[in-house]
Amino acid sequence: MQLKLMLAGLEILGGLLGVTSTATTTTAQAATWHTGTPTKARGTWRYQQGRKRYTVRIKKTGLRFVNNGRVNAQGKAARYKYLGDQTYTVKERTAHTKKVRQTTFKLKGGALYVLGRKYHRITT
């Protein structure tokens, strides 16, 4: 009993002096980067400006941008991070160059916003 009182007294004294105890509890944090792409964003999205067509195909493994029929590299090994307010950042490796590509997009009102363009979902 005296040992408990003595430890409690030391704990209070340490708190007053600003010394932290080794018996403090730590809180666990969830991982911020998740594998794949967000399920809400998966699918085919299209933006059209005059005669130009821009398409984004989002799969579980990565993103593929198609601009006027010209296909950019397919991404692989995608990871995403939720930034808040329906905004996501996706990091992925390009299939042929193995460079890391990072894309930030926002989902709002049934549309996908990437690089200032408003893409609409295409139903297939």
Side-chain angles (χ1 to χ4, degrees), residues 23-58:
T24 58
T25 60
T26 58
T27 58
Q29 294 182 355
T32 56
W33 288 96
H34 308 281
T35 56
T37 57
T39 53
K40 291 180 183 179
R42 292 180 193 164
T44 304
W45 302 81
R46 181 168 290 150
Y47 167 77
Q48 189 163 352
Q49 180 181 23
R51 300 177 88 184
K52 294 182 180 181
R53 262 192 186 165
Y54 303 95
T55 306
V56 178
R57 292 187 183 116
I58 302 176

